[in-house]
């Protein structure tokens, strides 16, 4: 029984449903504080298109867009399965965010820095670390010094490094973490990978997560929807693994096998998505028959009230 009490909600579900509530900001603030090695305060969650995409993408990817106390924008994204053009999409997401948050005719001085944090559960590529950080710096080709730009701030001309305004990127490769968690960052990545949180943790965000992200604190309808989410992820990963295995048994080259695996996975995933969409509608019908409110059904299934009314 004790083990059930210590079960915590996966982070991707938390940012999709729970961490958008101001009362729960401390959880995400803790991760950002540990990652940036600097106290981070979130003042608001901004509108994001991440959860308005097709049903095929909803369980693969979730994101949250926050503004910190400095007015900077932080994108946090969780990706569960492989995407071929992942880096290109990260770049597009950052560029879109920059343009969304400056109006036509505004001074370029109003552009705010964007931080992109990707939490990935798939094999992104080669590399020995579980955390990678990318930052723009302009270095002299012949002198190796870092360029400073003169900029106007409060009626004074001050130097500024490009890295102070250009986007920063963090990629957390969850599956590559295989250490005993000793540092605050390692404890956070261990939670992202296993869902486990030490009972006596003092790590920013994780102590709050112990209270706010308990599995058995969810309402029955929400818990059912969460379990369906986990099941969809497991099926999707199984599809990918099986497809790769089938591709390899053809005895072809590695490149061909991977290409065939991706093709099989895409076809099967499409069928899975269609089936899952019907499953969500069936779940909504059952919850409606149980007498749950429109708001609870919408929260549990992700369907709009208009869609629920049509059932």
């Amino acid at each position: 029984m004790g083990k059930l009490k210590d079960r915590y909600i996966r982070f991707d579900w938390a940012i999709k449903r729970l961490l958008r509530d101001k009362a729960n900001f401390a959880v995400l603030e803790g991760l950002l504080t540990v990652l940036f090695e600097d106290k981070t305060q979130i003042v608001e969650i901004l509108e994001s298109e991440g959860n308005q995409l097709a049903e095929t993408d909803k369980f693969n990817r979730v994101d949250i867009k926050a503004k910190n106390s400095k007015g900077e924008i932080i994108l946090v994204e969780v990706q569960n399965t492989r995407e071929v053009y992942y880096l290109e999409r990260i770049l597009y997401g950052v560029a879109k965010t920059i343009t969304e948050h400056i109006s036509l005719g505004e001074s370029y001085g109003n552009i705010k820095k964007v931080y992109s944090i990707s939490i990935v559960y798939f094999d992104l590529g080669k590399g020995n670390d579980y955390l990678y950080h990318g930052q723009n710096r302009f270095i002299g080709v012949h002198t190796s010094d870092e360029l400073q730009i003169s900029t106007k701030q409060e009626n004074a001309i001050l130097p500024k490094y490009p890295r102070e305004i250009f986007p920063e990127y963090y990629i957390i490769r969850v599956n590559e973490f295989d250490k005993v968690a000793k540092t605050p960052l390692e404890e956070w990545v261990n939670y992202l990978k296993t869902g486990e949180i030490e009972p006596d943790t003092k790590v920013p965000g994780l102590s709050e997560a112990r209270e706010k992200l308990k599995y058995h604190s969810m309402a029955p309808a929400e818990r059912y929807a969460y379990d369906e989410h986990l099941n969809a992820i497991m099926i999707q990963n199984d599809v990918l693994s099986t497809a790769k295995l089938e591709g390899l048994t053809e005895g072809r080259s590695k490149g061909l096998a991977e290409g065939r695996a991706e093709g099989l996975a895409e076809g099967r995933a499409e069928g899975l998505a269609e089936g899952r969409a019907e499953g969500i509608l069936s779940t909504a019908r059952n919850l409606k028959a149980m007498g749950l409110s429109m708001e609870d059904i919408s929260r549990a299934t992700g369907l709009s009230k208009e869609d629920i009314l049509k059932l």
Side-chain angles (χ1 to χ4, degrees):
M1 183 64 74
K3 195 169 185 181
L4 287 175
K5 284 185 179 178
D6 289 334
R7 184 179 173 189
Y8 297 98
I9 302 164
R10 273 176 59 109
F11 191 70
D12 61 337
W13 184 268
I15 68 171
K16 187 176 184 178
R17 302 293 181 102
L18 303 173
L19 302 188
R20 298 168 188 272
D21 185 336
K22 197 175 183 71
N24 298 331
F25 280 6
V27 177
L28 184 57
E29 287 174 345
L31 171 61
L32 300 177
T33 293
V34 167
L35 195 59
F36 297 156
E37 297 182 340
D38 186 34
K39 176 65 178 171
T40 301
Q41 180 186 6
I42 294 172
V43 294
E44 65 176 311
I45 299 298
L46 304 169
E47 183 61 34
S48 171
E49 295 181 1
N51 293 315
Q52 300 171 9
L53 301 176
E55 185 62 37
T56 52
D57 208 32
K58 282 186 179 177
F59 64 93
N60 283 338
R61 176 168 69 94
V62 287
D63 66 4
I64 195 168
K65 182 169 20 173
K67 182 186 286 186
N68 67 16
S69 55
K70 300 176 186 176
E72 300 166 327
I73 298 171
I74 302 168
L75 302 172
V76 182
E77 176 177 295
V78 182
Q79 178 81 16
N80 283 310
T81 58
R82 185 177 181 186
E83 185 167 320
V84 177
Y85 297 110
Y86 192 70
L87 293 179
E88 289 83 351
R89 192 166 56 69
I90 291 175
L91 176 62
Y92 174 77
V94 168
K96 191 167 186 289
T97 297
I98 293 171
T99 57
E100 280 176 348
H101 291 276
I102 184 168
S103 301
L104 191 65
E106 272 192 84
S107 166
Y108 289 131
N110 293 329
I111 289 177
K112 296 298 183 183
K113 179 164 181 168
V114 176
Y115 294 89
S116 170
I117 300 163
S118 298
I119 300 169
V120 299
Y121 286 84
F122 63 94
D123 181 12
L124 186 64
K126 292 183 179 179
N128 298 320
D129 209 332
Y130 64 87
L131 175 65
Y132 286 85
H133 178 216
Q135 192 176 38
N136 288 81
R137 294 172 183 263
F138 289 77
I139 305 299
V141 175
H142 303 102
T143 58
S144 298
D145 65 318
E146 186 173 357
L147 180 67
Q148 281 187 316
I149 305 293
S150 296
T151 184
K152 187 176 181 180
Q153 288 183 358
E154 298 178 358
N155 299 318
I157 301 299
L158 300 172
K160 178 182 281 187
Y161 287 106
R163 56 184 155 85
E164 295 176 53
I165 189 66
F166 277 70
E168 271 182 62
Y169 302 85
Y170 291 83
I171 296 179
I172 303 174
R173 303 165 72 222
V174 177
N175 294 338
E176 302 305 313
F177 181 75
D178 59 358
K179 308 166 82 174
V180 175
K182 294 180 179 178
T183 68
L185 178 60
E186 288 171 350
E187 281 199 45
W188 252 104
V189 179
N190 185 62
Y191 160 63
L192 294 175
K193 182 174 183 178
T194 66
E196 297 170 0
I197 303 175
E198 291 298 322
D200 57 350
T201 186
K202 299 294 190 295
V203 172
L206 288 184
S207 52
E208 290 83 359
R210 278 184 57 82
E211 296 304 314
K212 298 177 182 295
L213 303 186
K214 289 180 179 175
Y215 173 80
H216 288 275
S217 294
M218 287 193 288
E222 180 82 357
R223 197 183 308 157
Y224 179 85
Y226 174 69
D227 289 340
E228 287 294 295
H229 169 75
L230 294 187
N231 190 43
I233 290 171
M234 286 190 290
I235 292 172
Q236 178 79 348
N237 288 336
D238 184 57
V239 166
L240 287 165
S241 299
T242 303
K244 281 191 176 182
L245 182 61
E246 289 177 2
L248 287 169
T249 55
E250 292 293 319
R252 299 178 183 176
S253 67
K254 182 179 178 183
L256 178 59
E258 289 184 354
R260 184 172 180 273
E262 285 169 15
L264 283 167
E266 285 175 11
R268 293 184 185 182
E270 189 175 327
L272 169 66
E274 290 175 2
R276 186 172 181 274
E278 180 54 40
I280 287 176
L281 293 175
S282 176
T283 298
R285 289 189 195 97
N286 291 337
L287 296 176
K288 193 174 181 181
M290 289 166 60
L292 267 72
S293 70
M294 194 85 73
E295 288 75 15
D296 285 341
I297 298 173
S298 179
R299 255 199 314 271
T301 62
L303 294 175
S304 68
K305 292 179 181 179
E306 291 74 18
D307 289 337
I308 296 168
L309 283 170
K310 294 175 185 175
L311 296 176

